[in-house]
Amino acid sequence: MRVYNFAAGPSTLPLEVIKEAQAELLDFAGTGMSVMEISHRDKAYEAVVCEAEALVRELLGVPEDYAVIFVQGGASQQFAAVPLNLMHSGKADYIVTGNFAKKAWQEGQIYGEANKIGDSSDRTYTYIPDVDSLTYTDGADYVHITSNNTIFGTRYTKFPKCKAPLVADMSSEIFSRKINVADFGVIYAGAQKNLAPAGVTIVIAKRSLIQEPLAICPTMLKWKVQDENKSLYNTPPAFSIYIANLVLRNLKKNGGIAAINEINEYKAGLLYDFIDNSKLYKNNVEKEFRSIMNVPFVTGSEELDAKFVAEAKKAGLVSLKGHRIVGGMRASIYNAMPVDGVKALIEFMKKFETENR
Ligand SMILES: *Cc1c(COP(=O)(O)O)cnc(C)c1O
């Protein structure tokens, strides 16, 4: 029996995709082998990487002068790759809007002057600072943001308009809403939130920015090298890219980003409306900045929160426990979470509220 899985990552994948993968698990593309067993230099596999790249380009409208690469090491490895590829003058700006944003900033400090120019920790990361009133450092190599904050449930509703290239960690929202790639110098995202199993990270980078990585940059972290080798510099995370390709095909078939964005807004709207109108549940994020991917909420009692999570699990609604930093509950409602899953959650929340008044 399949449950509704609200995990923040690794997270739920489209059922159709899992079934497709299951159907061709023993014999991939007529090779008589599973996709996990064939050489990454095999034509049949190279076609997968090519198609995945083409689908990323098509779905996000990536301009031609941008590289689209698939790398390993998770989004956390990119916290280092960003300065190692871009920090030529030795200084960069960071806007710290959550735990991952803070980690990226801390990693940046290893390689140079990483200036924290914005910080929303004063109100436990429940908002995004006004990007128009921040002071950007003159001559900074880039400005780093985390566009959707997975743990705290916030997202940017407008992006900085800065001179330096904008670098965005979009791990927990890539492919969920329309973005203009040309507004960014670099976008990166670990796949295990909204795209594929863990193991692969997407990097989209303007080619003119990535031609001269720092001398100390490990070869594997050089985006230029990965681009020149079409993500096949070494053995890639083959299975994860394969699933990413199936997920992207599925997204295209279902109307692409515009269609899923509408569904995501609808799902999030249902849940936030219910929370706002309930007497028991509360979401503490400033309304303007509420994420449509990660919805944290609390009852106000730790004991009741624990009871909620345990009883929800029995009802087939799993992984609703909030991140250990914030406690309470969190419903991650990524692209692959069906509307019916959100409706089932709301029904359960109503029942729980009635029983625990
Ligand atoms: C999950 C997450 C990360 C960390 O990803 P890993 O792939 O585990 O390194 C970084 N940034 C954001 C926004 C995330 O949601």
Side-chain angles (χ1 to χ4, degrees):
M1 190 199 93
R2 295 274 295 173
V3 294
Y4 286 120
N5 172 14
F6 295 91
S11 40
T12 193
L13 287 163
L15 183 58
E16 263 184 293
V17 164
I18 295 178
K19 284 183 173 164
E20 269 177 83
Q22 182 183 40
E24 58 184 11
L25 194 60
L26 297 181
D27 179 6
F28 167 68
T31 58
M33 296 175 274
S34 88
V35 70
M36 295 178 284
E37 299 166 300
I38 74 176
S39 163
H40 58 291
R41 307 284 174 202
D42 191 299
K43 286 269 175 295
Y45 188 73
E46 274 184 30
V48 171
V49 181
C50 274
E51 185 184 347
E53 180 190 330
L55 283 167
V56 171
R57 288 185 182 280
E58 182 182 343
L59 288 163
L60 287 179
V62 179
E64 269 182 39
D65 59 332
Y66 279 66
V68 173
I69 54 176
F70 301 99
V71 297
Q72 305 201 42
S76 302
Q77 176 116 291
Q78 297 307 308
F79 298 166
V82 168
L84 283 164
N85 281 276
L86 302 177
M87 218 189 226
H88 300 109
S89 72
K91 56 186 174 185
D93 287 344
Y94 283 78
I95 305 178
V96 177
T97 52
N99 204 48
F100 292 116
K102 188 174 172 190
K103 283 183 166 170
W105 168 60
Q106 287 168 334
E107 194 77 16
Q109 290 169 40
I110 297 174
Y111 303 100
E113 188 188 307
N115 301 309
K116 184 168 69 172
I117 59 159
D119 183 347
S120 56
S121 64
D122 58 336
R123 275 178 274 143
T124 51
Y125 300 122
T126 51
Y127 70 102
I128 302 292
D130 175 22
V131 295
D132 294 332
S133 56
L134 301 176
T135 308
Y136 298 90
T137 306
D138 232 15
D141 293 308
Y142 58 88
V143 176
H144 182 280
I145 64 166
T146 308
S147 64
N148 184 83
N149 295 277
T150 324
I151 296 174
F152 300 92
T154 62
R155 66 162 173 171
Y156 281 72
T157 44
K158 67 177 174 191
F159 295 111
K161 293 214 171 349
C162 41
K163 262 194 233 137
L166 187 58
V167 175
D169 174 359
M170 293 197 179
S171 294
S172 50
E173 71 154 354
I174 195 162
F175 303 115
S176 73
R177 62 166 159 164
K178 196 175 176 325
I179 48 154
N180 182 19
V181 175
D183 291 343
F184 299 85
V186 178
I187 292 167
Y188 65 92
Q192 72 274 22
K193 312 284 163 65
N194 214 13
L195 181 64
V200 64
T201 300
I202 288 193
V203 180
I204 300 167
K206 192 168 184 168
R207 287 204 173 100
S208 60
L209 296 172
I210 65 172
Q211 295 312 307
E212 283 173 58
L214 303 200
I216 57 163
C217 183
T219 308
M220 278 289 290
L221 296 191
K222 288 180 179 165
W223 295 329
K224 178 186 187 327
V225 169
Q226 299 288 359
D227 183 29
E228 285 165 354
N229 289 278
K230 296 190 172 304
S231 303
L232 294 168
Y233 172 74
N234 73 329
T235 319
F239 189 73
S240 295
I241 297 175
Y242 159 77
I243 297 287
N245 189 41
L246 295 184
V247 170
L248 293 167
R249 268 189 201 167
N250 189 260
L251 181 55
K252 181 178 168 182
K253 190 184 84 183
N254 291 317
I257 308 265
I260 199 71
N261 189 6
E262 207 170 298
I263 295 169
N264 287 334
E265 291 285 353
Y266 175 68
K267 286 187 302 190
L270 288 179
L271 189 50
Y272 284 120
D273 278 352
F274 172 73
I275 291 171
D276 289 343
N277 288 311
S278 104
K279 290 202 173 56
L280 180 63
Y281 310 104
K282 195 167 181 308
N283 167 276
N284 291 315
V285 171
E286 275 184 30
K287 282 192 181 158
E288 184 193 343
F289 303 113
R290 282 175 164 178
S291 167
I292 58 168
M293 297 277 95
N294 311 97
V295 182
F297 56 96
V298 292
T299 64
S301 147
E302 274 182 34
E303 204 185 322
L304 210 51
D305 288 349
K307 187 176 175 196
F308 180 98
V309 172
E311 287 187 8
K313 186 174 176 190
K314 283 190 204 140
L317 308 167
V318 309
S319 303
L320 280 159
K321 193 171 188 305
H323 191 277
R324 59 190 185 279
I325 300 174
V326 283
M329 280 72 72
R330 171 179 48 178
S332 293
I333 49 174
Y334 296 122
N335 286 0
M337 174 56 65
V339 172
D340 281 349
V342 175
K343 287 185 174 166
L345 173 61
I346 292 171
E347 283 315 306
F348 174 82
M349 289 169 79
K350 271 185 206 164
K351 182 167 156 284
F352 185 86
E353 182 166 354
T354 312
E355 290 168 0
N356 292 277
R357 248 204 285 266

